């Protein structure tokens, strides 16, 4: 496939920012990357992306992993004993989309905590920890996928971290879209990551790398996670070939995330003009937009089918919600086409 710097096939794909294709600069860097065996003495390009990621995120070390799911899994394995409790907000990606790794592989017991826009109720968390015989791990998520890309407020993160520290419970941050949170808050990623002991970030979402995530933390934590990565089959060989794209992602693709946020805001604003029940632009903080179709005559699946007839792909999530995610391939024309598709389907 050739380099793709714009939308392909004339389809507007808003299902996820994971659909972003590598840039021309990434493909060029991949071609010339210095490579080695990452399961032996190490791959120099993987080492470079790990060093760059650790510096940006403000941790001692980082580990390159094939996916965000594996990064979160290794964090659980490295932090918590089997049979202990993991506390996370009830809408967390970890408890909804990764429950298999939580329960079956890490052997942790999920303790869902009530939450608002992705932020755990702090009193409920303290009560749950008090009631727990064996607390193992606290997990936060920012930006929050299920809560429409919401950004956790920093004071909330500080208090959650303090709750963990006071009781000796490690705090992990699922920061799949940490850089979106950083752009939205206008603070360096390290300032957010500082309120957790470990952080997972995805290079393969809005940053457009084809594959890869980083798990960051203290040197001792990352050394443990590195051993566990081998155990779960996550040690790759000349993985610098994909890490090269990750380096370009970290070097050049962060600042432009603000364009994705602006596109999501414009989408929400236009949809609210079409019908105020569909979307609230005030709730859109980053690149994810949740559209509520419960006040319309169609369910989410029928809406997704309807706009698909107009060349627009969105994800139905539950019976009455659609998830729209903006990214590098969603330009002004794509936003206009999406709005026209919604207007046509609504009739
Ligand atoms: C995408 C995502 C993950 C998992 O990343 P994969 O690379 O798809 O495994 C974890 N947490 C959140 C919040 C995500 O959005």
């Amino acid at each position: 496939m050739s380099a793709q710097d714009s939308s392909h096939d004339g389809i507007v794909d808003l299902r996820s920012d994971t659909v972003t294709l590598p840039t021309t600069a990434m493909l060029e860097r991949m071609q010339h990357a210095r490579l080695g065996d990452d399961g032996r003495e190490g791959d120099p390009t993987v080492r470079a992306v790990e060093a760059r990621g650790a510096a940006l995120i403000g941790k001692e070390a980082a580990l390159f992993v094939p996916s965000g799911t594996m990064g979160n899994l290794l964090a659980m394995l490295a932090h918590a004993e089997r049979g202990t409790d993991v506390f996370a907000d009830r809408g967390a990606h970890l408890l909804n989309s990764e429950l298999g790794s939580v329960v079956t592989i890490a052997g942790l017991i999920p303790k869902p905590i009530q939450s608002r826009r992705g932020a755990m109720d702090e009193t409920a968390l303290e009560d749950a920890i008090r009631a727990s015989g064996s607390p193992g791990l606290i997990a936060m998520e920012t930006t929050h996928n299920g809560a429409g890309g919401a950004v956790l407020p920093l004071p909330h993160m500080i208090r959650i971290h303090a709750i963990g520290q006071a009781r000796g419970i490690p705090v992990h941050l699922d920061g799949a879209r940490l850089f979106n949170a950083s752009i939205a808050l206008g603070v360096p990623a390290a300032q957010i990551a500082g309120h957790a002991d470990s952080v997972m970030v995805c290079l393969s979402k809005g940053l457009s790398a084809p594959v890869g995530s980083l798990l960051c933390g203290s040197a001792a934590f990352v050394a443990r996670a590195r051993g566990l990565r081998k155990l779960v089959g996550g040690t790759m060989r000349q993985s610098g070939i994909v890490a090269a794209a990750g380096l370009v992602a970290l070097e050049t693709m962060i600042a432009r995330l603000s364009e994705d946020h602006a596109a999501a805001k414009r989408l929400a604003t236009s949809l609210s003009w079409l019908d105020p029940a569909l979307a609230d632009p005030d709730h859109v903080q980053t690149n994810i937009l949740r559209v509520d179709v419960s006040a319309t005559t169609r369910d989410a699946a029928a809406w997704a089918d309807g706009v698909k007839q107009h060349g627009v792909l969105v994800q139905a999530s539950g019976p009455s919600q659609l998830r729209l995610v903006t990214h590098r391939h969603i330009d002004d024309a794509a936003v206009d086409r999406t709005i026209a598709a919604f207007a046509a389907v609504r009739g």
Side-chain angles (χ1 to χ4, degrees):
M1 185 189 297
S2 63
Q4 297 284 346
D5 288 312
S6 63
S7 180
H8 50 302
D9 306 333
I11 298 285
V12 177
D13 194 345
L14 291 155
R15 291 171 303 168
S16 178
D17 44 9
T18 57
V19 303
T20 46
L21 296 167
T23 63
T24 306
M26 288 178 184
L27 294 174
E28 280 168 5
R29 189 78 75 90
M30 290 165 83
Q31 209 170 354
H32 301 112
R34 284 181 56 225
L35 303 174
D37 188 334
D38 203 41
R40 295 179 186 278
E41 58 284 349
D43 177 295
T45 306
V46 171
R47 283 191 193 150
V49 79
E50 289 174 343
R52 176 114 195 171
L56 266 176
I57 288 154
K59 298 292 181 197
E60 283 176 3
L63 180 69
F64 187 62
V65 289
S67 67
T69 301
M70 188 182 288
N72 283 336
L73 168 64
L74 296 179
M76 291 187 282
L77 291 170
H79 278 309
E81 295 292 325
R82 293 188 79 80
T84 61
D85 293 338
V86 54
F87 307 90
D89 79 275
R90 62 185 171 188
H93 193 278
L94 192 71
L95 299 191
N96 291 281
S97 302
E98 303 168 53
L99 195 58
S101 24
V102 173
V103 175
T104 312
I105 312 180
L108 302 185
I109 298 157
K111 295 288 176 180
I113 306 296
Q114 66 191 73
S115 60
R116 255 190 102 160
R117 297 192 49 71
M120 283 181 269
D121 181 309
E122 293 160 25
T123 309
L125 172 64
E126 288 184 299
D127 289 348
I129 291 172
R130 212 170 293 120
S132 162
S134 47
L137 182 65
I138 299 171
M140 291 190 274
E141 179 178 327
T142 198
T143 68
H144 199 287
N145 188 343
V151 179
L152 292 184
L154 290 181
H156 167 77
M157 295 187 68
I158 290 169
R159 290 191 295 269
I160 297 291
H161 197 203
I163 288 172
Q165 285 183 321
R167 294 159 184 78
I169 309 168
V171 176
H172 174 66
L173 177 61
D174 178 346
R177 296 185 181 83
L178 177 72
F179 293 111
N180 294 86
S182 158
I183 293 291
L185 288 171
V187 304
Q191 201 171 318
I192 305 171
H195 307 309
D197 300 300
S198 58
V199 187
M200 184 282 287
V201 295
C202 289
L203 305 174
S204 56
K205 293 193 168 169
L207 299 186
S208 299
V211 173
S213 295
L214 291 169
L215 177 61
C216 312
S218 71
F221 166 82
V222 169
R224 258 197 326 280
R226 197 175 288 281
L228 291 159
R229 186 184 66 171
K230 188 172 171 67
L231 182 83
V232 299
T235 301
M236 301 176 282
R237 300 303 179 175
Q238 283 76 38
S239 34
I241 201 120
V242 277
L247 261 176
V248 175
L250 291 178
E251 286 167 6
T252 67
M253 301 300 283
I254 295 172
R256 64 152 306 287
L257 293 174
S258 62
E259 296 169 29
D260 302 343
H261 299 181
K265 192 74 135 184
R266 193 154 85 79
L267 260 178
T269 303
S270 298
L271 290 175
S272 76
W273 286 339
L274 197 61
D275 180 345
L278 285 176
D280 183 349
D282 289 340
H283 274 179
V284 176
Q285 296 178 312
T286 58
N287 70 327
I288 304 180
L289 170 60
R290 295 243 161 212
V291 175
D292 182 355
V293 296
S294 56
T296 72
T297 55
R298 286 179 187 76
D299 68 7
W303 267 101
D305 235 37
V307 294
K308 189 176 178 183
Q309 308 303 316
H310 297 268
V312 175
L313 304 181
V314 300
Q315 190 172 301
S317 126
S320 62
Q321 278 210 347
L322 301 172
R323 189 185 78 151
L324 279 60
V325 187
T326 57
H327 50 74
R328 195 166 66 82
H329 304 309
I330 304 300
D331 55 10
D332 283 346
V335 170
D336 290 341
R337 274 188 65 191
T338 305
I339 295 157
F342 273 84
V345 171
R346 188 170 180 280

